[in-house]
């Protein structure tokens, strides 16, 4: 049973399982907000949307208060929420995990109604739906991705105009070559032909039409 101002396991070491991830996440439960929790694993703060919480349980092993470095954001406040965490993370080198896929590293550049834009050296500008983010780890300011200098990886603006919602954004990309879900499935790479009643039509490498429901699209980017 949850309590009004947090969770009874606050301050304890816990193990958390999120959907589609082979391994659990463990650490000290630092914060429990209205739609996000925070773990500290001894090195990083891990921000996990509550909608991704599949299972959580206490585990043996105490963690002292001195194990917590300075947080990237203000915790334990009425303003702590999923959206505010994303807004505060803009421009910070971060690690994100999307539906159990390998972590992606880069910078969060924009936050819209139901998606955000993540600029990655490997994937360029990725649009990520809020409901599919598994976790976010903001790194300390002195950490540069892949040991690149700021001149080698400048935070560039998105090369196209942004819409308020993910579906509207998909409509703006009709007739462009796109990659869905980071290209994990070759059939989800191709020409975006249109969207009708939440069904996306792509033309794959063979020129065949492939249909995908919008709810199963975690990310989209234009290479």
């Amino acid at each position: 049973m949850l309590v009004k101002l947090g969770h009874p396991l606050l301050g304890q070491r816990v193990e958390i399982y999120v959907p589609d991830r082979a391994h659990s996440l463990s650490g000290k439960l630092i914060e429990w907000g209205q739609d996000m929790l925070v773990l500290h694993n001894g090195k990083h703060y891990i921000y996990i949307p509550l909608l991704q919480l599949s299972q959580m349980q206490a585990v043996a092993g105490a963690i002292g208060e001195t194990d917590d470095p300075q947080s990237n954001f203000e915790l334990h406040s009425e303003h702590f929420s999923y959206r505010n965490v994303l807004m505060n993370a803009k421009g910070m080198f971060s690690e994100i995990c999307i539906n159990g896929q390998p972590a992606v590293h880069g910078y969060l550049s924009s936050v819209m109604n139901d998606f955000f834009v993540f600029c990655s050296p490997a994937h360029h500008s990725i649009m990520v739906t809020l409901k599919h983010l598994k976790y976010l780890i903001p790194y300390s300011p002195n950490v540069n991705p892949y040991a690149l200098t700021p001149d080698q990886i400048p935070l560039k603006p998105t090369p196209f105009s942004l819409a308020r919602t993910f579906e509207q954004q998909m409509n703006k990309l009709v007739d462009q070559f796109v990659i869905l879900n980071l290209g994990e499935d070759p059939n989800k790479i191709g020409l975006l032909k249109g969207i009708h009643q939440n069904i996306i039509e792509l033309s794959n490498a063979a020129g065949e039409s492939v249909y995908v429901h919008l709810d199963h699209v975690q990310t989209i980017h234009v290479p």
Side-chain angles (χ1 to χ4, degrees), residues 2 8 14 19 26 42-43 45 60 64 77 83 85 97 106 110 116 124 143 154 159-161 164 175 178 183 185 189:
L2 304 186
V14 298
S26 62
K43 184 177 182 180
Y45 280 92
S77 79
R83 179 165 293 276
V85 165
C97 182
S110 302
F116 62 89
H124 307 296
V143 175
F160 39 77
S161 61
R164 291 181 178 272
D175 295 328
V178 299
D185 182 348
I189 302 173

Side-chain angles (χ1 to χ4, degrees), residues 2-216:
L2 304 186
V3 296
K4 184 177 180 181
L5 296 177
H7 191 277
L9 294 181
L10 276 175
Q12 298 185 44
R13 181 182 290 275
V14 298
E15 189 170 40
I16 288 179
Y17 293 87
V18 297
D20 304 316
R21 238 186 92 84
H23 304 290
S24 62
L25 299 166
S26 62
K28 182 178 181 180
L29 182 61
I30 298 295
E31 180 61 291
W32 183 283
Q34 59 182 345
D35 53 9
M36 177 165 278
L37 63 85
V38 186
L39 289 183
H40 182 246
N41 66 1
K43 184 177 182 180
H44 300 296
Y45 280 92
I46 307 174
Y47 295 80
I48 306 171
L50 288 185
L51 60 88
Q52 300 296 345
L53 181 62
S54 175
Q55 178 182 319
M56 180 175 72
Q57 61 190 53
V59 295
I63 305 179
E65 291 298 324
T66 55
D67 292 325
D68 301 339
Q70 182 65 39
S71 172
N72 306 87
F73 315 129
E74 182 182 1
L75 300 177
H76 315 295
S77 79
E78 60 183 7
H79 303 296
F80 177 74
S81 69
Y82 189 174
R83 179 165 293 276
N84 283 339
V85 165
L86 293 179
M87 294 298 292
N88 286 328
K90 289 172 62 176
M92 299 175 64
F93 175 49
S94 303
E95 172 185 329
I96 62 173
C97 182
I98 309 155
N99 267 12
Q101 298 175 9
V104 180
H105 298 83
Y107 296 92
L108 196 153
S109 64
S110 302
V111 182
M112 313 310 288
N113 285 4
D114 62 353
F115 74 98
F116 62 89
V117 180
F118 196 76
C119 299
S120 160
H123 304 284
H124 307 296
S125 293
I126 312 167
M127 284 152 284
V128 183
T129 60
L130 296 186
K131 65 183 179 182
H132 286 117
L133 176 70
K134 296 302 181 189
Y135 65 72
L136 163 74
I137 301 177
Y139 284 36
S140 61
N142 60 348
V143 175
N144 291 325
Y146 308 101
L148 297 173
T149 67
D151 291 337
Q152 292 174 307
I153 179 175
L155 183 60
K156 297 179 180 178
T158 308
F160 39 77
S161 61
L162 295 174
R164 291 181 178 272
T165 70
F166 193 68
E167 182 177 4
Q168 292 170 348
Q169 188 66 54
M170 296 285 283
N171 277 303
K172 292 173 75 73
L173 296 176
V174 169
D175 295 328
Q176 293 198 48
F177 184 84
V178 299
I179 297 176
L180 305 184
N181 301 347
L182 299 181
E184 62 175 359
D185 182 348
N187 276 324
K188 293 180 182 176
I189 302 173
L191 183 69
L192 179 56
K193 300 181 69 175
I195 306 173
H196 181 64
Q197 295 182 341
N198 290 328
I199 301 298
I200 301 159
E201 181 182 0
L202 283 179
S203 180
N204 66 10
E208 302 167 338
S209 287
V210 177
Y211 299 89
V212 183
H213 196 284
L214 187 63
D215 285 348
H216 296 288

